[in-house]
Amino acid sequence: MARRDPHSYYDDAQPKIASFDLEFRVDFGKKRLAAKVKLSLESEVKGVLHLDSRDLKINNVSLEDGTQLKYKLHPKDPVLGSLFEIEFDSPSKNVVVEYEVPENASALQWLNPSQTKGKSQPFLFSQCQAIHARSLVPLQDSPAVRVTYTASITVPAALTAVMAAGSAGTSEDPVKGEKTHFFKMPQPIPPYLFAFAAGRIAAKEVGPRTRVWAEPEVLDKAAYEFEETENMIREAEALFGPYEWERFDLLVLPPSFPYGGMENPRLTFLTPTLIAGDRSLVAVVVHELAHSWTGNLVTNANAEHFWINEGFTVWAERRILEKLYGSEAAVMSYAQGFSSLRGALDRFGADSPFTCLVTRLEGVSPDDVFSEVPYEKGCLFLRLLEDTVSRPSWDRFIRAYIEKYRFTSIETAELRSFIEKHFPGIMEKVGGDEWLLSPGIPGNCPQVQSQRLEFISNLSAAFKHGTYPSSAEISAMNTSEKLVYLHGLGRPLSREECAWLETNFELKSVSNSEILCEWLTIAASSDYEPAFPKIRAFLSEVGRMKYLRPIYKAMANSERTRALASEIYSATKDSLHQLSANVIGQEIEKYGKG
Ligand code: BES
Ligand code: ZN
């Protein structure tokens, strides 16, 4: 027996699940799912089958013909959940489990109508990456396993259910006032890409293979924001080969969604904070799209190799950005990425093992060590390889890599030898093992620069000497440039400096969520009282962890902001996503420790 994934009870001496057929009935009143799943194994299981589960209430386990099976739900491990052990008296390829998914399922957020735009209907969505699929379906919840599936989701007839899968029709039960939505996922996925949502949503076509789903109140704006999606897909296909998932639909979630985007196949999930009105934040869509190759086709074998998903995707995202919006856009993205990497190194400490690309996560929850390191250090390592072997050779390599590993899951060692095979001696030449296995940023890290970036950085550095940009210079800055400028300012700033920024960058009326977050972080760390109402409003509305963490962290700086933070947290914590609540809880806990 061998367990190769520190986050799963999957035992590779036992057959893998090849597919499942799932039924969910959503009970919004009791906030739970009634569920039934038939798991089909790739070969006959003899003896026992070990599955992952978390907080599932198992009602019945049987063979397809109804023969009851013995099972044991082991005590819950805080990271892994409960080992769910099924005993087979005779060899079988199937097992049927009837169960309930409780309200606190770690993959779910149940929203009250007040947490939606329309205020009239509840909403439900899932977020399974990295190890939450097991709270929805008992299975081998390791990305080393790939499954296809069919599913049906029954919801009140006023609501619509969507999945990261192909749709396969609906049926209605007028007596019960319910509607069942059917789905089929033909492409094999790692379990973390299982995803669904249900709410009062509608769709609008924005391209031949893209429709945008959103609450009706924001649908037109969302459709406008994401109208360029087909261009993105075409550029990505030119770089990485055919798009293999048929459709690339987008689902705009309510603001409590804890991430910017999640690359659920065929249906990317997005935060509504991307809807800026001017398409300035669509890089997140490019990122999630890029995962269709790097991540969803070629998948990290477990969370210790997460950089294989995210490093490649950030690198790919920036190549697509360069094609669509020019090299300056890619340079600005590198610059923002680099400062976020510095932030992560400060947070962990530059010697921390969590700043390595390959991590050791036995006993550690992936959510607790989520950071920019796999994204940005991973991207920079790949950029170094690209610069070293030349872009045309690297692009051929990437194509070969995707072709070779499509629909499989790999560890870093596999990738390392594939790179060496293509470019013998390259690892030694670039210090590959230091990049992969040592903490911090290696000395040969690529410096991505441009004149414009240097100009903005210098302008930003001059602020503390009292040299401020002219209004012409400010209006010439695009969103990324403003972000680089604001991020480069020291903090805390004085009241006068904050007031100057507030007036001259028109921050009182800014609605762009990235700029707003950057500003509120400055204001919070500077104890700038005029911005407190905005801080309160933003933190009460938005659940995106990328925004919550820096603002709450900045509020540690003074007694008054600490008090404000605790007050806002108490008022909002019941309506936050569990992941967001944990992140803020951790930040607030640090206040006490100074
Ligand atoms: N796959 C991630 C989100 C994720 C990572 C969810 C780990 C759960 C565990 C997604 O592709 C992502 O990276 N989103 C970023 C967007 C970005 C880097 C442009 C985000 O949410 O901010
Ligand atoms: Zn990503």
Side-chain angles (χ1 to χ4, degrees):
M1 96 145 215
R3 279 183 43 207
R4 298 199 48 161
D5 180 341
H7 298 114
S8 174
Y9 289 110
Y10 166 56
D11 181 335
D12 68 6
Q14 299 172 6
K16 287 181 181 167
I17 298 169
S19 68
F20 63 77
D21 300 283
L22 175 71
E23 294 166 27
F24 274 164
R25 195 171 163 280
V26 184
D27 183 339
F28 278 100
K30 300 204 170 95
K31 294 191 176 168
R32 65 183 190 201
L33 309 178
K36 178 176 176 179
V37 68
K38 180 179 97 179
L39 305 173
S40 303
L41 299 149
E42 61 180 5
S43 60
E44 284 186 331
V45 51
K46 304 183 174 79
V48 296
L49 181 65
H50 287 171
L51 302 176
D52 294 298
S53 75
R54 186 185 289 123
D55 298 327
L56 299 178
K57 184 170 172 285
I58 307 292
N59 293 326
N60 195 50
V61 183
S62 67
L63 297 177
E64 261 193 296
D65 66 9
T67 311
Q68 301 280 312
L69 297 179
K70 279 199 224 118
Y71 66 91
K72 189 169 169 198
L73 208 49
H74 288 252
K76 182 176 170 181
D77 175 273
V79 175
L80 279 84
S82 307
L83 166 61
F84 177 34
E85 188 172 8
I86 303 177
E87 276 177 55
F88 292 81
D89 296 329
S90 55
S92 171
K93 281 185 80 167
N94 299 298
V95 57
V96 178
V97 183
E98 287 168 61
Y99 63 102
E100 241 169 61
V101 176
E103 176 175 2
N104 68 341
S106 63
L108 293 181
Q109 190 180 13
W110 296 87
L111 300 181
N112 296 320
S114 66
Q115 292 172 276
T116 66
K117 267 272 171 313
K119 314 282 177 209
S120 64
Q121 295 287 346
F123 201 104
L124 172 64
F125 68 85
S126 70
Q127 166 56 47
C128 287
Q129 196 181 16
I131 54 168
H132 302 291
R134 66 194 62 180
S135 76
L136 297 178
V137 186
L139 41 57
Q140 295 153 331
D141 191 8
S142 167
V145 176
R146 295 184 101 86
V147 292
T148 57
Y149 67 86
T150 68
S152 71
I153 304 184
T154 301
V155 292
L159 304 185
T160 300
V162 288
M163 283 200 96
S167 55
T170 58
S171 77
E172 223 168 319
D173 182 340
V175 180
K176 287 193 183 146
E178 287 179 343
K179 196 163 175 175
T180 299
H181 299 253
F182 298 93
F183 304 92
K184 182 176 166 63
M185 186 57 189
Q187 293 93 358
I189 54 153
Y192 75 85
L193 292 177
F194 175 85
F196 76 99
R200 184 177 147 271
I201 49 174
K204 200 167 163 180
E205 307 289 327
V206 295
R209 41 191 159 171
T210 303
R211 80 175 51 101
V212 176
W213 287 94
E215 285 192 70
E217 289 78 8
V218 298
L219 184 57
D220 286 337
K221 279 190 190 150
Y224 173 81
E225 206 75 24
F226 305 127
E227 214 165 82
E228 296 166 354
T229 305
E230 179 62 20
N231 292 341
M232 298 172 181
I233 306 175
R234 290 215 192 102
E235 293 299 352
E237 287 187 305
L239 284 165
F240 309 122
Y243 180 75
E244 303 247 23
W245 306 87
E246 299 169 58
R247 297 204 50 93
F248 183 69
D249 293 334
L250 303 172
L251 171 65
V252 178
L253 288 135
S256 69
F257 186 60
Y259 290 100
M262 176 64 213
E263 67 272 26
N264 296 133
R266 308 173 66 121
L267 181 66
T268 276
F269 284 24
L270 296 172
T271 169
T273 61
L274 300 184
I275 304 176
D278 60 2
R279 302 179 179 168
S280 58
L281 305 179
V282 295
V284 174
V285 180
V286 175
H287 177 97
E288 305 317 330
L289 170 65
H291 272 304
S292 306
W293 290 265
T294 52
N296 298 6
L297 273 188
V298 185
T299 308
N300 55 216
N302 64 60
E304 297 186 331
H305 305 277
F306 183 53
W307 84 274
I308 292 180
N309 276 21
E310 297 300 344
F312 272 88
T313 300
V314 173
W315 172 83
E317 171 197 341
R318 290 179 181 151
R319 284 295 300 276
I320 301 169
L321 289 179
E322 182 183 314
K323 275 285 212 137
L324 287 170
Y325 310 112
S327 61
E328 210 59 71
V331 170
M332 288 298 156
S333 176
Y334 268 98
Q336 288 169 264
F338 194 75
S339 47
S340 72
L341 176 58
R342 294 289 276 277
L345 295 190
D346 286 348
R347 193 153 63 84
F348 287 129
D351 297 336
S352 159
F354 299 125
T355 69
C356 299
L357 283 181
V358 181
T359 49
R360 298 289 300 274
L361 298 180
E362 184 90 51
V364 178
S365 160
D367 291 330
D368 289 343
V369 292
F370 178 86
S371 84
E372 290 84 351
V373 171
Y375 291 76
E376 298 298 338
K377 188 177 173 182
C379 171
L380 286 165
F381 176 49
L382 300 170
R383 172 67 188 248
L384 175 64
L385 293 169
E386 177 184 351
D387 291 348
T388 306
V389 304
S390 87
R391 186 177 267 195
S393 316
W394 183 248
D395 286 2
R396 278 193 298 277
F397 167 82
I398 292 287
R399 288 278 207 139
Y401 166 71
I402 291 165
E403 181 56 32
K404 161 123 183 170
Y405 293 109
R406 55 195 282 279
F407 293 112
T408 71
S409 307
I410 60 170
E411 294 186 6
T412 302
E414 180 79 44
L415 167 64
R416 189 192 184 288
S417 45
F418 194 67
I419 297 175
E420 264 297 304
K421 203 178 114 209
H422 275 251
F423 307 111
I426 184 101
M427 281 296 160
E428 168 114 46
K429 188 170 173 191
V430 303
D433 290 330
E434 185 192 352
W435 274 92
L436 294 171
L437 305 173
S438 300
I441 306 176
N444 63 346
C445 182
Q447 309 278 317
V448 180
Q449 267 294 353
S450 74
Q451 272 184 10
R452 180 72 181 154
L453 171 59
E454 222 164 300
F455 173 77
I456 301 282
S457 309
N458 290 339
L459 204 56
S460 178
F463 187 82
K464 64 170 177 291
H465 307 300
T467 306
Y468 297 166
S470 67
S471 58
E473 283 168 334
I474 295 174
S475 35
M477 290 181 199
N478 65 25
T479 298
S480 315
E481 292 166 351
K482 282 185 185 150
L483 289 169
V484 169
Y485 179 86
L486 293 171
H487 199 80
L489 303 176
R491 30 205 94 171
L493 298 179
S494 69
R495 196 184 160 91
E496 292 69 34
E497 290 169 324
C498 285
W500 191 90
L501 290 174
E502 191 176 41
T503 306
N504 291 278
F505 279 79
E506 297 176 356
L507 298 168
K508 272 196 183 126
S509 59
V510 74
S511 59
N512 183 293
S513 62
E514 289 286 329
I515 295 181
L516 185 56
C517 173
E518 196 62 51
W519 159 237
L520 296 179
T521 307
I522 294 174
S525 61
S526 308
D527 190 27
Y528 183 64
E529 203 196 344
F532 285 7
K534 280 230 144 181
I535 291 176
R536 184 190 301 274
F538 191 71
L539 296 180
S540 307
E541 160 97 354
V542 174
R544 188 176 176 186
M545 293 187 282
K546 179 189 170 195
Y547 294 160
L548 299 182
R549 193 201 291 274
I551 298 177
Y552 273 101
K553 197 180 168 72
M555 284 199 282
N557 264 4
S558 76
E559 202 171 309
R560 196 160 61 157
T561 48
R562 283 194 297 273
L564 178 67
S566 307
E567 185 202 317
I568 299 172
Y569 179 51
S570 324
T572 56
K573 73 167 179 285
D574 292 340
S575 48
L576 281 165
H577 193 284
Q578 306 174 54
L579 291 166
S580 313
N582 287 342
V583 158
I584 306 169
Q586 283 167 22
E587 286 307 326
I588 289 193
E589 212 166 282
K590 288 187 210 149
Y591 288 5
K593 297 170 190 145

